[in-house]
Amino acid sequence: MIVDVALPLSLAFIMFSLGFGLTPADFGRVLTMPKAVATGVVMQIVAVPLTAFVLLQLFNLPPALAFGVMLLSFCPGGVTSNVLTKLGAGNVALSITLTAVVSLLSVVTVPLLVSWAASAFLEAEAPDINVTSIAIAMFAITVLPVLLGLGMRKLAAAKAEKLERVMSRVAVVLFAVIVFAAIGTNWVLITENFAHLGPFFVSMNILLLVVGVLVARVIGLSGADGICIAIEMGVQNAALGIAVAGLVANAAGITEYAVPSALYGIIMYLVTIPAIFILRRLFNPVSVPGRGMT
């Protein structure tokens, strides 16, 4: 019961902190840097799930875990992607915009893609997927908190910068709590499948980072934009993946479908943090100053 209440509330606060960290300029970048924003959105919504799907054809994962991998791949960038983008000398302003835009779009894209993935990977074992119900629930725990955060920032404009830092730190702590709670709840299942899931996620994370940088380079974006897009692809909102798994299963607690999101919530940092320093040296991006970090 505690988990069922704490999980959506924690995710809602994480999304509220995202909204509180946004300004009109973050959405204005859709018009001022359309090529970079459009590329980042397409790579996040299309290329990440496609990469996960292709890799699943090469790895022999149980259907429930394969479905959980796809759930994770449908999620937007993680709450710390902006921090990691700054660390990698990427375009922080672009990172903030992409996180916001893809998070808002996810209320439409995730339910539809989840319905397809359930049929493709679970087949006869697939639970009944109510796309509308999932969309409404996602709106309540993602879009609504973001909008409330935007409104609260306007009301607390004088103290916004200080409050933003505090909320960002709390959001990161809550994210860690959600991930570790999911791991603890499914510890036996994780240890039984780690030999498969571990190599799978390391491969997936590296591939996403490399593809993000290379695509950006091929179409003529700057090195800083490429680093940003790569990190947005490689660092997923695992907390949302865990929450969506619960919505799909319509069951109490943290379900089996949430295991991939929980495990990736740790692996993505172990891979991404050293990788961004390598990418930074290889592509020598010129860091673009950001307004701040969410």
Side-chain angles (χ1 to χ4, degrees):
M1 181 63 180
I2 294 178
V3 171
D4 298 332
V5 175
L7 177 56
L9 287 179
S10 296
L11 180 59
F13 182 85
I14 289 170
M15 300 310 293
F16 176 83
S17 72
L18 169 64
F20 191 83
L22 296 173
T23 67
D26 296 321
F27 294 100
R29 290 188 196 96
V30 174
L31 299 177
T32 58
M33 51 173 71
K35 185 176 181 180
V37 173
T39 301
V41 170
V42 170
M43 294 301 287
Q44 179 70 50
I45 294 177
V46 178
V48 175
L50 183 60
T51 300
F53 180 82
V54 170
L55 285 176
L56 283 170
Q57 311 311 306
L58 306 177
F59 286 78
N60 185 27
L61 292 183
L65 295 183
F67 176 61
V69 168
M70 293 307 299
L71 288 186
L72 170 70
S73 74
F74 302 149
C75 294
V79 295
T80 57
S81 61
N82 310 145
V83 178
L84 294 177
T85 298
K86 181 174 178 125
L87 193 64
N91 187 336
V92 179
L94 176 61
S95 177
I96 294 169
T97 299
L98 289 177
T99 300
V101 171
V102 179
S103 293
L104 293 177
L105 289 175
S106 67
V107 74
V108 176
T109 60
V110 170
L112 294 174
L113 291 171
V114 163
S115 179
W116 163 78
S119 299
F121 288 91
L122 299 178
E123 298 177 345
E125 301 299 320
D128 292 331
I129 304 292
N130 187 324
V131 174
T132 303
S133 176
I134 293 176
I136 292 172
M138 284 195 61
F139 179 85
I141 61 177
T142 58
V143 175
L144 184 58
V146 169
L147 296 178
L148 290 174
L150 281 166
M152 184 63 71
R153 183 183 182 94
K154 186 173 182 180
L155 293 175
K159 298 182 179 179
E161 187 174 339
K162 182 178 179 180
L163 289 172
E164 182 184 347
R165 287 196 297 268
V166 174
M167 289 183 183
S168 294
R169 290 166 186 164
V170 173
V172 170
V173 171
L174 288 175
F175 175 83
V177 169
I178 292 172
V179 168
F180 283 110
I183 288 175
T185 302
N186 294 279
W187 181 251
V188 174
L189 187 62
I190 288 175
T191 53
E192 288 176 348
N193 292 277
F194 186 79
H196 297 295
L197 281 174
F200 177 89
F201 278 140
V202 170
S203 302
M204 175 174 156
N205 201 171
I206 292 174
L207 189 56
L208 290 174
L209 292 169
V210 172
V211 168
V213 171
L214 291 180
V215 168
R217 190 177 182 88
V218 167
I219 66 173
L221 295 177
S222 69
D225 289 345
I227 292 291
C228 164
I229 291 171
I231 292 173
E232 287 294 323
M233 291 175 64
V235 179
Q236 298 295 95
N237 190 337
L240 180 58
I242 293 168
V244 172
L247 294 175
V248 171
N250 195 24
I254 298 174
T255 68
E256 181 179 6
Y257 301 151
V259 168
S261 291
L263 188 57
Y264 193 73
I266 293 177
I267 290 178
M268 66 185 181
Y269 293 115
L270 298 178
V271 174
T272 300
I273 291 175
I276 59 178
F277 287 104
I278 296 173
L279 293 174
R280 180 175 176 171
R281 293 179 67 88
L282 287 175
F283 293 95
N284 191 29
V286 177
S287 182
V288 178
R291 172 194 51 75
M293 294 178 293
T294 57

